[in-house]
Amino acid sequence: MSNLYSWNPVFNFIMKLKEEVQKQFGEVSYETKEITNENGGRRELTCVENWARLLNNQDYIKRLTPLHIAQNDNLVLFRYTDHVSIKEGEKEINSFDEEFWNIYDGFYKECRSVVIDVVHNTIVIAPFKKFMNLNQSEEYSLENIQKRITKAISNFKPVEITTKLDGSMQCATYYEEGILLTGAQAVNKNKSWRLTDSFNRLVINDNLIKMIMENEGLTFIFEYISLKDAHVVRYTKEQEGLYLIGVRENNTGKQWSYKEVLQKAKKYNVKLTTDLHKETLDEVLNSLDKYKSSEAEGVVLNIDGFLVKIKYNDYVKCHKLISAISSPNLIIQAYADSWIDDLIVKIPKEHRWRIEGLIDILHEYCWIKNNNIDKCYRDIYRKTHGKIVDFMKEVQNYPKEDRTYIIQKYKGQPINFLKTQAISNSPHYKTLGELGLQEDYEEMLKSKQFFL
């Protein structure tokens, strides 16, 4: 295996997986495999996930569990998600969980949509690694950040501040005689409306094309701004596009300073790069009430390659509200208890698409489920003439969950397909996984041009 890219713990792990498969089985398959989960949902396993299962190595499987992994031919993308923590098995990954981000030599920090060619053993896309908000963890405490700044300045290292845009990160590079554009979860532009839109913008911009093609081995990091991809900040039609926000070297992992990024943008006349701020950190902290959430998100502090997010106060409040209200679990609870309309009105119109897709799925799920239960009830009633002993005996031939609903219908009790123990003081609201809707939900969001 190549000694290049050894700076990246994700690459090192994948190469180790591949070597063990090759050593144990003599050959390595790069094929994907479709599986069905216990709730009936379907998803595609990438070759990397298949390798871990083939080796039957529970440590490898556990390490991959918190990741969204996508494959397109030789290219495999790795992105951290909010799945179950590998440390405790029941706790969701929390962005404040400093221990999680530091395990395995910072493995998950580099899982920010890094793309590896698993056939040719190459890092193709090297985005920013995970970085946090000021005071989000001990490492990012104001005291420690101030110490970093003092040390950087004393060693003549760059300390820079630039505008943080409120869009979606995308990366581009020149690879195998073509331009590759990737998103947070998609490595194939045909599976992401965002990437399709960005690629269409990119190919008509000769300056961007020339910059990417003439700098093989570099990952160009962009912020994608689109009115169809509204977050919290409200941009205008004229502000749509790809904004160059960073550059990283694939071979070494070196992240360029903003000054170097600006110089590259100037050379190729790429206009969509944000300027450097002249304020000091103290001046930024004293102006956190300066902008409304609709006007700006915040800034990024770059201390010799160590990045820190600093967000304006109103943006933080608005983002927390939208994130909380957009939680699938909260939407299921609101829909199950019939106060979903009260939830929707709290969200600005431009953000309601975030929950409307799931509402459509829940409505269809309950409609199909009700029709099925109604049919089963009528079939049993017709067969047993409604006699309670015979009815209860016949219903045992049906799936356990369906039995409960059929009996509730027989007794004239209210049925709620989205929660169990519905009439108790502490009902259990089902998750997407328990409803068997997780993969369907993700596919619907793709088909409706959401999220990816």
Side-chain angles (χ1 to χ4, degrees):
M1 298 291 182
S2 171
N3 289 323
L4 291 175
Y5 320 111
S6 59
W7 61 270
N8 189 292
V10 184
F11 178 83
N12 294 337
F13 174 69
I14 300 309
M15 292 301 101
K16 179 180 178 182
L17 253 181
K18 181 177 176 180
E19 286 177 346
E20 289 188 18
V21 170
Q22 196 163 31
K23 182 177 180 180
Q24 188 168 334
F25 298 95
E27 59 181 2
V28 178
S29 171
Y30 301 98
E31 299 296 319
T32 60
K33 179 182 179 182
E34 188 176 84
I35 63 169
T36 302
N37 66 20
E38 59 184 9
N39 296 305
R42 297 185 304 277
R43 79 177 186 93
E44 188 177 74
L45 284 182
T46 63
C47 66
V48 172
E49 293 167 289
N50 289 329
W51 295 345
R53 291 188 175 208
L54 189 63
L55 292 170
N56 195 27
N57 188 311
Q58 296 305 309
D59 288 337
Y60 293 169
I61 294 172
K62 184 183 285 188
R63 188 187 294 206
L64 295 175
T65 297
L67 301 178
H68 164 83
I69 308 176
Q71 181 174 351
N72 183 35
D73 296 329
N74 298 352
L75 305 181
V76 182
L77 176 147
F78 300 86
R79 171 80 181 188
Y80 53 76
T81 63
D82 292 326
H83 291 295
V84 177
S85 169
I86 63 170
K87 294 190 306 175
E88 299 179 20
E90 296 179 353
K91 176 183 173 185
E92 286 190 350
I93 292 174
N94 188 312
S95 59
F96 292 83
D97 188 351
E98 192 167 7
E99 183 183 349
F100 170 80
W101 295 112
N102 289 328
I103 58 178
Y104 301 132
D105 192 29
F107 177 86
Y108 294 109
K109 287 183 180 179
E110 289 290 353
C111 290
R112 199 181 178 195
S113 306
V114 60
V115 177
I116 298 173
D117 184 331
V118 293
V119 174
H120 299 107
N121 307 331
T122 303
I123 291 180
V124 181
I125 293 287
F128 293 136
K129 69 178 182 180
K130 170 72 175 178
F131 62 98
M132 298 184 183
N133 297 306
L134 182 67
N135 291 322
Q136 191 170 346
S137 69
E138 179 63 26
E139 185 180 20
Y140 284 78
S141 69
L142 178 58
E143 180 182 358
N144 285 331
I145 295 305
Q146 289 172 329
K147 289 179 180 179
R148 278 184 177 270
I149 292 175
T150 301
K151 182 178 180 180
I153 292 175
S154 64
N155 290 317
F156 303 100
K157 299 294 184 180
V159 176
E160 305 163 314
I161 297 176
T162 189
T163 300
K164 188 178 190 313
L165 299 176
D166 190 23
S168 300
M169 188 186 75
Q170 296 181 350
C171 296
T173 194
Y174 187 69
Y175 187 67
E176 293 190 337
E177 300 182 354
I179 290 179
L180 174 67
L181 185 68
T182 63
Q185 298 186 58
V187 70
N188 182 347
K189 67 180 177 63
N190 296 322
K191 292 187 177 182
S192 166
W193 73 267
R194 286 188 181 90
L195 290 185
T196 299
D197 182 54
S198 294
F199 194 81
N200 291 338
R201 294 174 186 272
L202 194 154
V203 294
I204 61 173
N205 189 320
D206 292 338
N207 293 335
L208 281 175
I209 290 290
K210 186 177 181 182
M211 179 181 72
I212 296 169
M213 292 184 65
E214 290 184 355
N215 292 275
E216 191 171 359
L218 296 182
T219 292
F220 291 93
I221 307 168
F222 297 93
E223 195 83 2
Y224 168 70
I225 302 295
S226 169
L227 298 186
K228 293 190 297 180
D229 185 34
H231 291 228
V232 178
V233 178
R234 297 179 185 178
Y235 294 105
T236 65
K237 185 70 176 177
E238 291 71 30
Q239 291 175 301
E240 289 187 319
L242 287 168
Y243 289 71
L244 182 63
I245 59 173
V247 176
R248 201 172 185 192
E249 298 176 6
N250 296 345
N251 285 358
T252 66
K254 177 189 175 183
Q255 181 181 299
W256 286 15
S257 68
Y258 286 127
K259 183 178 180 180
E260 291 172 312
V261 174
L262 287 168
Q263 289 173 342
K264 181 67 73 173
K266 184 177 180 180
K267 175 181 178 181
Y268 288 94
N269 197 26
V270 175
K271 300 292 187 181
L272 299 179
T273 307
T274 56
D275 291 325
L276 293 171
H277 289 227
K278 295 180 180 180
E279 301 102 310
T280 64
L281 174 60
D282 287 340
E283 288 172 332
V284 170
L285 295 179
N286 287 329
S287 62
L288 294 183
D289 291 318
K290 183 178 180 179
Y291 296 100
K292 295 180 179 179
S293 62
S294 60
E295 296 174 332
E297 177 176 351
V299 301
V300 175
L301 171 65
N302 185 348
I303 312 169
D304 189 26
F306 185 88
L307 304 184
V308 187
K309 290 181 282 189
I310 305 174
K311 298 180 180 180
Y312 298 121
N313 291 331
D314 193 53
Y315 178 92
V316 173
K317 294 176 184 177
C318 186
H319 187 269
K320 285 182 178 179
L321 172 65
I322 293 174
S323 297
I325 292 177
S326 300
S327 163
N329 291 340
L330 181 61
I331 295 169
I332 290 172
Q333 181 177 342
Y335 189 90
D337 289 340
S338 301
W339 51 276
I340 191 69
D341 290 341
D342 296 333
L343 188 67
I344 293 175
V345 296
K346 295 180 181 179
I347 300 181
K349 290 182 179 179
E350 62 267 29
H351 301 298
R352 291 178 185 174
W353 60 268
R354 296 173 181 274
I355 65 175
E356 288 171 347
L358 180 51
I359 291 173
D360 287 345
I361 293 177
L362 296 176
H363 179 76
E364 184 176 5
Y365 173 85
C366 291
W367 184 80
I368 292 174
K369 195 77 174 175
N370 184 67
N371 283 348
N372 179 58
I373 295 301
D374 189 58
K375 181 181 182 303
C376 293
Y377 166 79
R378 285 186 279 105
D379 289 345
I380 298 173
Y381 198 94
R382 191 181 304 114
K383 190 173 183 179
T384 63
H385 303 288
K387 294 180 180 180
I388 186 168
V389 175
D390 294 337
F391 189 97
M392 294 303 173
K393 182 178 180 180
E394 182 64 26
V395 81
Q396 300 305 313
N397 295 321
Y398 288 76
K400 184 177 180 180
E401 183 174 321
D402 288 352
R403 280 182 240 157
T404 301
Y405 298 132
I406 296 169
I407 293 172
Q408 286 177 328
K409 190 172 184 66
Y410 181 84
K411 292 181 177 180
Q413 296 174 343
I415 299 175
N416 196 315
F417 297 111
L418 300 180
K419 61 181 181 179
T420 57
Q421 301 171 329
I423 60 175
S424 73
N425 293 326
S426 56
H428 168 71
Y429 296 91
K430 297 181 181 178
T431 65
L432 285 174
E434 289 173 320
L435 293 170
L437 294 175
Q438 186 70 52
E439 286 77 18
D440 293 337
Y441 178 43
E442 293 173 356
E443 289 302 318
M444 181 175 180
L445 292 176
K446 293 178 187 177
S447 66
K448 288 203 171 188
Q449 302 186 343
F450 292 153
F451 284 135
L452 288 188

